[in-house]
Amino acid sequence: MTASATPKLVTFVVLAGLALLGGIALGQPELVVVAAPLVISLVLGLGNTHLPASTAKVETDVDRCIEGDVVEATVTLTSFETPVEMEVAIGISPGLSAEPTARSSTGMVGDGEQRSRIVPLQVIHWGVQSVGPIALRVHGPCRFITFEGVVEERETVKVFPVYERLMQGLPPADTQLHTGDHVARALADGIEFGTVRPFTYGDSVRRVNWRVTSRTQELHVNLAHPERNSDVVLFLDTFTDAELATGSTLDITVRGATAVAQHHLRHHDRVGLVSFGGNARWLTAAMGRSHTYRIAEFLLDVNATFSYAWKDIKLLPHGALPSGALVVAFSPLIDERAIRALADLGERGFPVIAVDTLSEDEVASGRGREAQIAFRAWKLQREMQRARLGAAGVMIHSGAGGVHVALRALSSLRHSPKAPR
Amino acid sequence: MQARLSVCCALLGLAVFLYPVSAAPTAVTLALAGCAVASLTLGLITSRWLGAGLAAGIALSNYALALGSGSARPDIYAPVLAVASWLLLELFDLAVMARRQGQIDAEVYDAHRRRLITTSGSAGLASVVVLVAGALFQAHPALLPASAIAAAAAVATAVALARRAMS
């Protein structure tokens, strides 16, 4: 801890010195009398001041929560000396907020006893938020000397984003083998009626269509479309993060990805994730409750990392992009590497739906003729990029009006996009 | 609590600053008292010690001026003024604390209240002793060197204690 003299000490010493000097120089004992309480206070206060032996730690009542929740951080202070006036303040991440008066408090702690304070923290943004470090300021007797120090004690709270529940998922490109909620194109056992065909050996008697059989005088059976699951891979462009009035593009990306992932996992689909940016990370497609938590944890660590390294989809392992999977991309269409990767995916035959997370309406052009021309050129360039992706078979939907508006519009599609032949 | 402490501090400041005016009612002492009041008010508003220190310094000069022009010697109210001046600075400190620090437990105020009561008692006693000693030995030739040595020792003790506490 670092000791420092307070302005009060300086004021007391200067005033006492002036009064004593003036009293002696002018021969006025009354001025010395005025100095007496100041000197006594200085001697008593400074004589009892010593380096405090104090510790502090912080704990939170939960380690995982959702945006909008209130987390209670408990700061515990211990001092092994005579009771001292201890001021404590905790540092919090930008994703947390607290009343300014609640973040710092002052109390008397001493004689080895523990004092706990509960600081309510409002969770305002998703991500891995930290509570700490703890700043301690111990005031000596009479507050002439203060000892300040920082205790590097931190607690992390994983905050999951709030997302809008989708009523309908995105149309799958192809169904897979597991049972799910999508009606497969193939004919097999199922509920959805497919067609009627003549009976062959091995057909179940329960599937005989008696009406058609009686009309044609020949055994016919019903065939159905089975309910199967599908594969969805969420492709997150994390090369750049542009701040908009309604939130950052990365924020829109994570909220959109969470909504799509949660919907498809609820409907027994396999969901994979690819964070394509400065740090490329992926999560192979899987299903089930444990995978829901895995995805939530994965999305918490998504951040935009600046990198010059050229990256393409060859970087990704085969398992990250299963064949027949619907690729749902969230991208601000700013970084050339991400645009190239999306075009590459489309050209490789993956059905790709891209949500443009950068709404051009929220980008204001600069003042002046040159700025206007530059803004129009930028818009034309983006138009060209969209056309290029469209030619590669990527369906692009603007995120203007919110990502959920875009997702609702996309979920009303009857078919996923087809790659160009 | 901050508002109450500020009001107490301002009222006590007014009493301390106007005492030299009552002892020697001249235009200069009145002007200096006004300056001290203004300085303290500024200090209370900005919560800066510079204002309070300046106000106390002006008040001290004003008192010295009033003692020089006054006739009644020694001033028997000097110990009261001394304790009141010290109390004024302590109240200012508490007002600053109440404004700058977040939540403050009631027991912190209780501890300061206890300290102020005990210290003001001993400070008042010491002031009376100094006043009586000064009045009794005013004509003694050894008073000036002895008091100079005592004053230097007091300031040196304070500085040495401060250095020891900070090391």
Side-chain angles (χ1 to χ4, degrees):
Chain A
M1 281 189 147
T2 315
S4 56
T6 58
K8 182 183 176 183
L9 174 65
V10 178
T11 309
F12 270 50
V13 170
V14 169
L15 283 175
L18 279 176
L20 289 171
L21 206 68
I24 293 162
L26 301 171
Q28 292 173 340
E30 290 89 345
L31 292 181
V32 181
V33 170
V34 171
L38 300 176
V39 172
I40 283 175
S41 177
L42 281 170
V43 171
L44 286 177
L46 293 173
N48 293 325
T49 304
H50 49 79
L51 189 70
S54 311
T55 58
K57 64 176 182 176
V58 65
E59 284 171 338
T60 50
D61 60 340
V62 289
D63 57 355
R64 284 147 208 263
C65 63
I66 301 170
E67 277 178 319
D69 283 358
V70 174
V71 176
E72 286 189 344
T74 308
V75 185
T76 309
L77 303 169
T78 314
S79 182
F80 304 102
E81 306 282 344
T82 49
V84 285
E85 186 186 328
M86 200 183 280
E87 194 180 340
V88 62
I90 54 166
I92 51 173
S93 301
L96 300 170
S97 79
E99 289 288 321
T101 51
R103 275 176 64 184
S104 75
S105 58
T106 308
M108 299 296 290
V109 188
D111 296 332
E113 65 168 346
Q114 286 192 340
R115 280 293 175 93
S116 297
R117 297 176 176 283
I118 294 172
V119 183
L121 302 169
Q122 180 79 40
V123 180
I124 52 174
H125 201 271
W126 60 268
V128 181
Q129 310 294 353
S130 69
V131 181
I134 308 166
L136 279 182
R137 185 184 286 152
V138 180
H139 298 276
C142 297
R143 297 166 61 87
F144 288 129
I145 306 281
T146 56
F147 299 92
E148 292 178 332
V150 175
V151 182
E152 287 296 334
E153 178 92 14
R154 285 171 202 269
E155 276 283 300
T156 53
V157 181
K158 291 181 173 175
V159 182
F160 299 111
V162 170
Y163 61 91
E164 200 175 311
R165 211 173 160 126
L166 293 179
M167 297 307 289
Q168 204 175 344
L170 304 177
D174 207 354
T175 50
Q176 303 295 323
L177 292 174
H178 294 284
T179 305
D181 289 0
H182 303 287
V183 178
R185 257 175 265 158
L187 295 170
D189 281 341
I191 298 169
E192 194 78 24
F193 175 76
T195 186
V196 178
R197 68 159 167 77
F199 180 86
T200 54
Y201 290 106
D203 282 340
S204 171
V205 180
R206 291 168 66 190
R207 284 164 52 190
V208 170
N209 187 329
W210 293 110
R211 289 185 183 209
V212 177
T213 302
S214 62
R215 197 162 58 240
T216 58
Q217 297 299 310
E218 201 178 328
L219 273 173
H220 276 75
V221 288
N222 288 334
L223 290 182
H225 295 293
E227 281 74 36
R228 294 282 184 256
N229 72 337
S230 70
D231 285 350
V232 178
V233 173
L234 300 168
F235 184 94
L236 316 180
D237 174 3
T238 56
F239 278 110
T240 46
D241 183 17
E243 280 291 336
L244 304 174
T246 52
S248 73
T249 53
L250 198 66
D251 190 44
I252 294 167
T253 297
V254 169
R255 286 178 202 282
T258 309
V260 175
Q262 295 297 331
H263 177 87
H264 283 277
L265 284 169
R266 266 199 311 275
H267 290 84
H268 315 295
D269 292 335
R270 294 200 311 161
V271 178
L273 274 170
V274 174
S275 171
F276 199 68
N279 287 332
R281 299 187 307 133
W282 55 85
L283 199 61
T284 48
M287 56 198 286
R289 185 177 282 271
S290 61
H291 196 62
T292 308
Y293 292 117
R294 233 174 279 142
I295 285 178
E297 298 271 343
F298 182 96
L299 288 171
L300 285 184
D301 291 331
V302 168
N303 53 20
T305 313
F306 183 76
S307 166
Y308 281 116
W310 183 258
K311 290 187 171 75
D312 58 19
I313 58 164
K314 285 179 197 159
L315 186 81
L316 303 175
H318 289 296
L321 293 164
S323 62
L326 170 68
V327 179
V328 183
F330 293 88
S331 170
L333 301 180
I334 293 174
D335 197 280
E336 182 60 26
R337 290 167 288 187
I339 296 165
R340 282 283 294 272
L342 285 176
D344 203 1
L345 283 172
E347 283 159 2
R348 283 171 188 230
F350 284 99
V352 184
I353 295 175
V355 177
D356 183 0
T357 53
L358 178 64
S359 170
E360 287 171 12
D361 301 339
E362 291 188 47
V363 181
S365 70
R367 288 183 182 179
R369 192 175 145 73
E370 288 85 359
Q372 294 283 342
I373 292 169
F375 185 64
R376 278 165 50 203
W378 175 72
K379 285 175 102 171
L380 281 172
Q381 191 185 7
R382 282 177 61 79
E383 192 63 42
M384 190 185 74
Q385 281 162 347
R386 279 194 286 266
R388 194 172 117 204
L389 286 172
V394 178
M395 180 190 281
I396 301 173
H397 202 283
S398 170
V403 70
H404 291 98
V405 177
L407 289 175
R408 272 198 292 271
L410 288 171
S411 62
S412 63
L413 293 173
R414 290 182 65 85
H415 302 288
S416 61
K418 294 279 187 291
R421 298 285 173 193
Chain B
M1 182 56 91
Q2 190 226 337
R4 270 191 285 170
L5 283 167
S6 297
V7 168
C8 286
C9 187
L11 289 174
L12 193 63
L14 213 60
V16 168
F17 300 151
L18 288 178
Y19 177 72
V21 180
S22 67
T26 60
V28 178
T29 52
L30 195 63
L32 283 172
C35 288
V37 169
S39 183
L40 182 71
T41 310
L42 210 66
L44 282 171
I45 291 167
T46 59
S47 293
R48 295 188 81 90
W49 266 95
L50 187 65
L54 203 64
I58 293 169
L60 192 70
S61 314
N62 203 12
Y63 185 51
L65 208 67
L67 285 173
S69 59
S71 57
R73 299 297 301 275
D75 181 13
I76 55 164
Y77 297 110
V80 178
L81 180 73
V83 173
S85 306
W86 168 77
L87 211 57
L88 166 69
L89 293 173
E90 289 287 352
L91 282 177
F92 180 82
D93 184 38
L94 292 182
V96 171
M97 178 188 86
R99 181 170 177 178
R100 286 203 179 153
Q101 290 166 218
Q103 290 177 344
I104 301 173
D105 289 355
E107 58 183 3
V108 175
Y109 289 112
D110 289 344
H112 280 294
R113 196 178 297 129
R114 280 197 300 275
R115 181 178 64 82
L116 290 185
I117 290 166
T118 51
T119 314
S120 61
S122 54
L125 200 68
S127 303
V128 170
V129 168
V130 170
L131 185 70
V132 170
L136 284 177
F137 301 104
Q138 200 161 20
H140 202 281
L143 180 69
L144 192 67
S147 53
I149 290 166
V155 174
T157 307
V159 172
L161 284 171
R163 286 175 67 87
R164 193 202 69 164
M166 288 173 70
S167 63

